[in-house]
Amino acid sequence: MKRLRDSRLVRFGAIFGSAALIGSAAACGSSTTASSTAAGDDVSTKVDSIAAMVPKSIADRGTLTIAAATYPPAVIEPANGGTPTGWDIENVRQIAAVLGLKVQIKIAPFDGIIAGLQAGRYDAATGEIYATDERTATVTFVTNHSSSDALMVPTGSKITSAAAETDLCGHTLAASLGSAEAALAAELAGKCKSAGKSAITVKTFKSQADVNLALSGGRVDAAVSSASQVAYVMSQTKNQFKLVELPWAPQYKTGMVLGRNSDTEKFAKAVQAATDHLIENGELQKILDEFNAGQGLIEKAEILPSTGSN
């Protein structure tokens, strides 16, 4: 199955137009409450040949503890405190089902997830986490999706385009603490300084919900986040915000993130095989159709870093 190659405007418009499919029952905050989800009638059938690849220590335990930060539409936390959903949560559930495993989702602050993986508090993490060089130095990614960033500004904002990186000089940008978007904003600030232009002020917040509140409250000029997240917020807020494309922003690979231990190399290959199975039979595309306007599927799963030891 080939990755969709429509223009960004077409993709963003498709996401915006699919508000009914994405759903509206989402809490903008995050919590530490764990929610359990088990393989059932709504998930894929176990594939014995792929399940046999799972390390014995994981297979015997039978359940994966997965960390995720609330980040619609990848991770949607219902307002009533029910089971989280979203395209990345459902991807994980399907992958685990193929492997014959159950999953327990733990909603956690984004900036603590990588540290939690390193400390062994979680088996894996999900939630449109970008596979950056800094992260692949310490954790292992098994990719299943491709993402890019965009800018969210209030309707009526003086920021109408950002064709060049220095177009944002002089503005205050918000991003989630510890995110690739925060690093991107800091990089832009450095470029403005080098160019002798007005400084960019970068403000980071504990959660994406706090980023969005800062923008709606006028404390920042714009927020940097994934294009799908921007479009989701736009679909829920009745013309309060608009999207500004960042044509120079990098494309990021995202997927299931694994903490490193003696089982990681073997388990990553099992997750890769399960992901490829679900790409080939169309199940992951169905999830993206429901939650993300069909956008972002990759052709084959990769293990990142592709070389190096665990």
Side-chain angles (χ1 to χ4, degrees):
M1 185 176 295
K2 294 185 178 180
R3 185 185 308 172
L4 298 179
R5 302 183 185 275
D6 301 320
S7 71
R8 288 185 176 185
L9 280 174
V10 170
R11 290 191 286 117
F12 295 159
I15 297 170
F16 179 80
S18 65
L21 293 178
I22 290 173
S24 60
C28 291
S30 63
S31 71
T32 57
T33 302
S35 298
S36 296
T37 56
D41 293 339
D42 58 339
V43 292
S44 294
T45 302
K46 176 183 176 182
V47 178
D48 290 338
S49 60
I50 299 177
M53 301 171 67
V54 176
K56 186 176 185 301
S57 63
I58 297 174
D60 287 349
R61 184 160 24 104
T63 299
L64 295 173
T65 300
I66 308 291
T70 302
Y71 196 72
V75 180
I76 302 171
E77 186 184 2
N80 62 5
T83 300
T85 188
W87 59 259
D88 232 353
I89 296 294
E90 298 308 321
N91 279 351
V92 165
R93 293 182 68 232
Q94 293 283 354
I95 291 166
V98 171
L99 297 174
L101 300 171
K102 298 177 182 179
V103 296
Q104 183 181 60
I105 304 298
K106 290 193 173 183
I107 300 297
F110 179 78
D111 63 317
I113 286 177
I114 299 298
L117 286 170
Q118 292 175 296
R121 291 194 295 273
Y122 316 117
D123 297 306
T126 194
E128 202 170 5
I129 302 174
Y130 292 172
T132 63
D133 290 341
E134 180 181 10
R135 290 172 185 158
T136 56
T138 58
V139 293
T140 297
F141 283 74
V142 183
T143 65
N144 57 38
H145 186 264
S146 177
S147 297
S148 61
D149 284 332
L151 203 68
M152 184 164 68
V153 300
T155 301
S157 170
K158 294 180 180 179
I159 302 174
T160 57
S161 68
E165 294 170 299
T166 53
D167 287 350
L168 297 176
C169 296
H171 293 287
T172 300
L173 305 183
S176 292
L177 184 64
S179 66
E181 289 83 8
L184 177 62
E187 181 182 337
L188 294 178
K191 291 183 177 181
C192 289
K193 182 177 180 180
S194 297
K197 294 181 176 290
S198 299
I200 283 179
T201 300
V202 179
K203 292 187 176 181
T204 56
F205 297 86
K206 195 73 172 175
S207 70
Q208 187 62 38
D210 292 334
V211 170
N212 297 342
L213 286 172
L215 182 62
S216 64
R219 288 178 283 153
V220 298
D221 299 321
V224 188
S225 59
S226 75
S228 60
Q229 205 281 328
V230 171
Y232 179 89
V233 173
M234 288 170 57
S235 75
Q236 303 296 303
T237 52
K238 307 296 183 184
N239 301 317
Q240 185 177 351
F241 303 110
K242 64 181 181 180
L243 181 148
V244 175
E245 292 185 51
L246 302 178
W248 35 265
Q251 286 277 335
Y252 290 100
K253 296 174 181 179
T254 79
M256 197 165 167
V257 192
L258 311 180
R260 289 189 182 162
N261 53 51
S262 60
D263 287 329
T264 304
E265 184 174 359
K266 184 176 181 181
F267 187 48
K269 291 177 181 178
V271 173
Q272 180 185 37
T275 304
D276 284 339
H277 172 76
L278 292 165
I279 291 172
E280 290 165 7
N281 71 13
E283 287 302 318
L284 293 192
Q285 183 63 66
K286 288 179 183 178
I287 293 169
L288 292 170
D289 288 344
E290 179 178 358
F291 291 97
N292 201 38
Q295 306 305 311
L297 189 74
I298 59 175
E299 295 178 1
K300 296 284 289 183
E302 294 179 81
I303 297 173
L304 301 175
S306 56
T307 59
S309 61
N310 290 327

